[in-house]
């Protein structure tokens, strides 16, 4: 089955009005899948920094809980391995920003916008957020995930050089 037939078959699974832009739907899937992968990598690094942490339990937690555990593990290990501190802080700050944007994607709701296209919209008055989750938003999100991943690899090279890349 070719890609076009696959897309048509998947669209046929629901009666929900989906965006007509297949690339938009693909970006949504890549963004969510990639963030899940990144969260798992953060949990792996936490388990290397603090072997008492149960990685399986940690992976079941929210992004915010994983972030808090990561910050805690970085703070704990930097006394013994100071080189991890700045890298870990930078990774945590980036992960926090991406976690917020991932929440914007997940907690958005569909609208028909001014050009009559189906698209996700995020409104969160307490944080003064009101915007469409556009292709550009998703592209920016996806392209920044590797920034955190690179820092996690740097940490892993320090604390578990036996694992390589």
């Amino acid at each position: 089955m070719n890609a076009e037939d696959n897309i048509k078959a998947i669209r046929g699974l629901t009666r929900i009005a989906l965006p007509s832009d297949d690339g938009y739907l693909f970006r949504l899937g890549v963004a969510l899948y990639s963030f899940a992968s990144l969260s798992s990598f953060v949990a792996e690094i936490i388990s290397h920094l603090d072997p008492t942490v149960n990685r399986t339990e940690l992976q079941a937690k929210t992004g915010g809980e994983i972030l808090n555990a990561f910050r805690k593990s970085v703070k704990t290990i930097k006394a013994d391995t100071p080189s991890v501190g700045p890298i870990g802080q930078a990774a945590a700050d980036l992960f926090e920003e991406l976690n917020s944007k991932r929440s914007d994607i997940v907690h958005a709701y569909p609208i028909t916008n001014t050009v009559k296209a189906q698209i996700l919209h995020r409104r969160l008055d307490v944080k003064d957020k009101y915007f469409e989750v556009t292709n550009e938003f998703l592209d920016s999100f996806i392209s920044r995930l590797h920034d955190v991943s690179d820092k996690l690899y740097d940490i892993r090279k320090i604390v578990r050089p036996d694992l390589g890349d």
Side-chain angles (χ1 to χ4, degrees):
M1 186 178 283
N2 65 34
E4 189 175 311
D5 289 339
N6 277 335
I7 291 168
K8 188 175 182 178
I10 292 166
R11 285 180 175 278
L13 296 173
T14 183
R15 291 177 38 196
I16 293 173
L18 297 172
S20 60
D21 180 359
D22 295 332
Y24 183 76
L25 293 174
F26 183 75
R27 283 177 177 90
L28 283 170
V30 169
L32 295 176
Y33 184 92
S34 298
F35 187 83
S37 178
L38 185 64
S39 294
S40 178
F41 193 16
V42 173
E44 175 195 334
I45 298 303
I46 293 167
S47 72
H48 296 317
L49 297 175
D50 181 357
T52 66
V53 171
N54 182 317
R55 183 173 164 187
T56 303
E57 287 179 12
L58 186 59
Q59 287 175 318
K61 295 186 181 286
T62 66
E65 291 169 319
I66 292 170
L67 172 64
N68 291 339
F70 182 66
R71 286 192 191 279
K72 181 180 174 187
S73 66
V74 167
K75 186 177 180 180
T76 301
I77 198 165
K78 73 180 181 181
D80 293 332
T81 314
S83 58
V84 169
I87 303 167
Q89 181 63 48
D93 291 346
L94 288 168
F95 185 77
E96 180 176 26
E97 183 181 337
L98 290 169
N99 185 54
S100 176
K101 292 186 182 308
R102 192 257 334 151
S103 292
D104 288 334
I105 297 166
V106 170
H107 297 290
Y109 53 90
I111 63 165
T112 303
N113 67 11
T114 56
V115 295
K116 306 292 184 217
Q118 292 293 311
I119 193 165
L120 291 175
H121 186 269
R122 176 66 160 151
R123 180 176 182 162
L124 186 61
D125 292 337
V126 297
K127 293 190 177 183
D128 201 28
K129 289 183 177 185
Y130 188 83
F131 63 92
E132 290 179 0
V133 178
T134 62
N135 279 328
E136 293 76 21
F137 178 93
L138 294 168
D139 288 345
S140 173
F141 177 84
I142 293 164
S143 70
R144 296 183 65 222
L145 292 165
H146 76 273
D147 295 335
V148 179
S149 182
D150 288 347
K151 292 188 181 332
L152 296 174
Y153 276 110
D154 290 344
I155 292 169
R156 191 168 79 175
K157 283 179 195 172
I158 294 167
V159 297
R160 290 296 308 270
D162 57 305
L163 295 177
D165 285 340

